[in-house]
Amino acid sequence: SEKILTENETDTSLIGTNLPWSKTHGKVCLQEGAVSTWIGIDGHKKSSVLNQIAVFAAKDQVVGIASFEMDVRALGQLMVKQAYGAIEPSRDLVQRFLEWSKDRVLCYDHVGTVKPIEVYALIVKMARDYGAKFIVIDCLQMISGVCGDNEQERALMSMLVQLAKGFNIHIALVHHARKPEKGGDEYVPTRFDALGSTSISQLSSILAIVWSDKKKQRLLDQHELGVELTPEDEEYLQRPDTRITIAKNRHIPFEGVIALWQHPSRQFIPSPSKDRMHFD
């Protein structure tokens, strides 16, 4: 009864990690004690989106990133670019970021497959020993013996949920969508396109689908090469570069699309203004 009274007095659904874009505040919160899954077609920038979320979250809390597909040096360069909106970060800027992030950003330095027990251990280490409140696991396909096995997928998701609740942290899991049968990169995945068993979406508090508009990028490339665009093409270029579809949001009523544009620095920004976000 005490827990119910406390939750009634405090909106616990908004306790956790906000996304960097103010227009999402109150609509999406990566709650403490929960797991979110971020799916998308390969190459549609879901890892980059989560990397920016983690970097901006580090202003208020300790974050952990375990990227099994990106070298920690490349990951660090991306963090600096996204933090400051810097297209070509200077050595001094990189050094300044490294000093600032020393006790705020934890990186698991390993590229390649890992066993589920290693994922368990790194989460425990980051949360218990370093106080991380937001941890990114990138990605499910790099955890050996799990993908394609429904029981192992359920066991892994159950483990992540238990760790999130046990340490009162948020765990964000990157996962791939099925290869589209038709439409290729122009196909926008739905919640039913996540690879593997339904337990992945069922046990996630938030299911986010990241999709980048490859057609728009092709039109921009053609325009830069001097190709004259049709009025329809010009109109198409007004669309956002990347869309995050919140397909499941257990604790907050909002389900819908978050439109983002990409700054040349690889920073995702909330409007087509092309003004970089300030990292105060």
Side-chain angles (χ1 to χ4, degrees), residues 2 9 11 22 42 52 76 91 108-109 118 156 194 206 224 231 247 254:
E2 186 64 31
E9 294 170 357
D11 190 355
S22 60
D42 189 36
Q52 182 170 330
R91 183 178 180 86
Y108 187 65
D109 190 6
E118 292 178 71
L156 180 79
I206 294 175
E224 287 185 8
F254 173 78

Side-chain angles (χ1 to χ4, degrees), residues 118-218:
E118 292 178 71
V119 176
Y120 174 89
L122 74 86
I123 292 173
V124 170
K125 186 76 173 176
M126 287 180 172
R128 182 190 63 195
D129 298 348
Y130 294 98
K133 297 296 290 181
F134 176 64
I135 297 175
V136 177
I137 303 297
D138 187 5
C139 62
L140 181 63
Q141 276 68 23
M142 299 301 288
I143 304 174
S144 60
V146 174
C147 287
D149 187 321
N150 289 352
E151 287 303 315
Q152 290 301 317
E153 287 176 350
R154 175 170 286 278
L156 180 79
M157 290 300 298
S158 296
M159 179 188 80
L160 295 180
V161 170
Q162 289 169 12
L163 286 169
K165 290 181 177 178
F167 288 106
N168 199 33
I169 62 176
H170 188 91
I171 299 173
L173 175 69
V174 179
H175 185 40
H176 290 310
R178 292 185 179 88
K179 185 177 180 181
E181 293 183 6
K182 295 181 180 179
D185 281 321
E186 293 181 24
Y187 174 76
V188 182
T190 71
R191 61 186 300 166
F192 304 108
D193 290 308
L195 281 172
S197 71
T198 56
S199 62
I200 294 171
S201 59
Q202 289 172 349
L203 294 175
S204 300
S205 291
I206 294 175
L207 185 66
I209 301 166
V210 182
W211 180 80
S212 290
D213 197 330
K214 302 292 185 178
K215 177 181 176 180
K216 179 180 178 180
Q217 187 58 56
R218 286 195 296 271

